[in-house]
Amino acid sequence: IAFLEDYKLARRDLNDMTLVLLKHHYPFNFTKYDRIQPTFINVMRDPTSWFQSHYYFERFGWQRKQETRTTGQKKSLSDDEMAMTIDECVERRHPSCTSPSWKYTEFFCGTEELCKSRATKTKMFSDIHLKSAMEKAKNNMKNFFYTFGILEQWDDTLALLEAMLPQVYSNVQKTWRTARVQAIRNSTKSMKTKKMSPESRQWLIDNPLKWDYELYTYARSIFNQRLRDFGLVREDDSDA
């Protein structure tokens, strides 16, 4: 909050403009501190697909910067562990797969203790706790976030954003298809990604990503209903 207020003071020419603060923010009640509540949006991706991308990104970086992005505990991975595929990781029940470091629940639930969902060496969370966090995240999807998108339905997401926030996303679908934006997109793809097997994917869905996947399924149902409400469903949309 302080950063945005200081930034606006320094750049008075921005006072009449819409500012967008991007990425890695949890739901937060600004009115608790007598500030105007900003408009929260988000985009969700199939949790197993996100896990796969992040798994290899941590080890090998992305196109624009090909290097290991691991920190803390992950810096101690052996060469064998660094080269380990997700299928091998699942087979070994390695902590990289049994306790994923990134989960969606917190990004939709918030900063409260009940929202914490990432296990550590010294702290594990019960299914009761994780389900409660997921249920609050579901509630926030409907009542806190203005809207959100689904990466697997990206064209639909852009269409919905343009319909719901035209002052920010006017012509976004045209902009997305420009050569410049596509070049940036291609530069952020994780390196050396090896697609996991259907068996590994199902194991992740049934175990460490269970609650995230329920949240994702719920999110897609809301998202597709919103598409219908705005008359944005194409006849060939299988997810509608």
Side-chain angles (χ1 to χ4, degrees), residues 110-126:
T111 58
E112 300 172 39
E113 187 66 28
L114 68 88
C115 292
K116 296 187 182 302
S117 62
R118 286 180 277 175
T120 66
K121 272 188 172 182
T122 58
K123 191 165 188 177
M124 301 292 290
F125 296 102
S126 69

Side-chain angles (χ1 to χ4, degrees), residues 48-206:
T48 59
S49 176
W50 188 38
F51 173 82
Q52 178 175 275
S53 177
H54 194 264
Y55 181 92
Y56 290 104
F57 170 72
E58 285 186 325
R59 285 159 171 75
F60 307 112
W62 52 9
Q63 291 282 353
R64 69 166 63 168
K65 196 171 186 181
Q66 300 177 26
E67 61 179 21
T68 301
R69 298 292 293 260
T70 55
T71 57
Q73 178 188 350
K74 293 188 181 65
K75 277 195 171 180
S76 64
L77 292 177
S78 66
D79 290 344
D80 178 62
E81 289 172 314
M82 286 289 292
M84 179 174 56
T85 67
I86 290 179
D87 288 342
E88 292 167 338
C89 178
V90 168
E91 184 179 356
R92 299 180 194 179
R93 299 297 190 263
H94 190 278
S96 295
C97 289
T98 59
S99 302
S101 58
W102 288 85
K103 289 190 174 182
Y104 274 118
T105 299
E106 290 181 34
F107 287 102
F108 285 96
C109 183
T111 58
E112 300 172 39
E113 187 66 28
L114 68 88
C115 292
K116 296 187 182 302
S117 62
R118 286 180 277 175
T120 66
K121 272 188 172 182
T122 58
K123 191 165 188 177
M124 301 292 290
F125 296 102
S126 69
D127 258 12
I128 293 174
H129 174 96
L130 295 173
K131 184 177 182 181
S132 296
M134 185 269 299
E135 292 294 350
K136 182 175 182 184
K138 282 183 177 180
N139 184 65
N140 282 344
M141 280 183 166
K142 290 192 71 173
N143 302 305
F144 184 90
F145 284 85
Y146 183 68
T147 191
F148 54 86
I150 301 294
L151 187 62
E152 286 73 25
Q153 293 178 249
W154 185 242
D155 287 342
D156 290 335
T157 293
L158 296 180
L160 186 62
L161 288 172
E162 190 166 13
M164 295 186 71
L165 288 166
Q167 68 273 34
V168 177
Y169 289 101
S170 178
N171 294 318
V172 68
Q173 296 177 76
K174 181 179 178 181
T175 302
W176 166 251
R177 291 176 174 81
T178 61
R180 179 173 179 272
V181 172
Q182 289 301 306
I184 295 172
R185 175 200 180 199
N186 291 330
S187 72
T188 60
K189 292 183 178 180
S190 298
M191 293 293 297
K192 300 184 181 180
T193 299
K194 184 174 181 180
K195 189 175 180 179
M196 73 179 81
S197 69
E199 293 77 17
S200 293
R201 180 176 183 273
Q202 192 59 53
W203 183 85
L204 290 167
I205 291 173
D206 293 339

Side-chain angles (χ1 to χ4, degrees), residues 10-27:
R11 293 286 306 276
R12 294 186 181 279
D13 56 314
L14 297 180
N15 284 337
D16 296 324
M17 297 175 64
T18 300
L19 295 181
V20 177
L21 191 60
L22 178 65
K23 87 178 194 175
H24 297 173
H25 303 292
Y26 294 164

Side-chain angles (χ1 to χ4, degrees), residues 42-47 50 103-105 108 141 148-154 157 211-220:
N42 211 329
V43 175
M44 197 172 188
R45 181 179 185 178
D46 181 304
W50 188 38
K103 289 190 174 182
Y104 274 118
T105 299
F108 285 96
M141 280 183 166
F148 54 86
I150 301 294
L151 187 62
E152 286 73 25
Q153 293 178 249
W154 185 242
T157 293
W211 300 114
D212 264 21
Y213 211 83
E214 181 172 334
L215 184 66
Y216 172 72
T217 302
Y218 177 78
R220 289 197 74 160

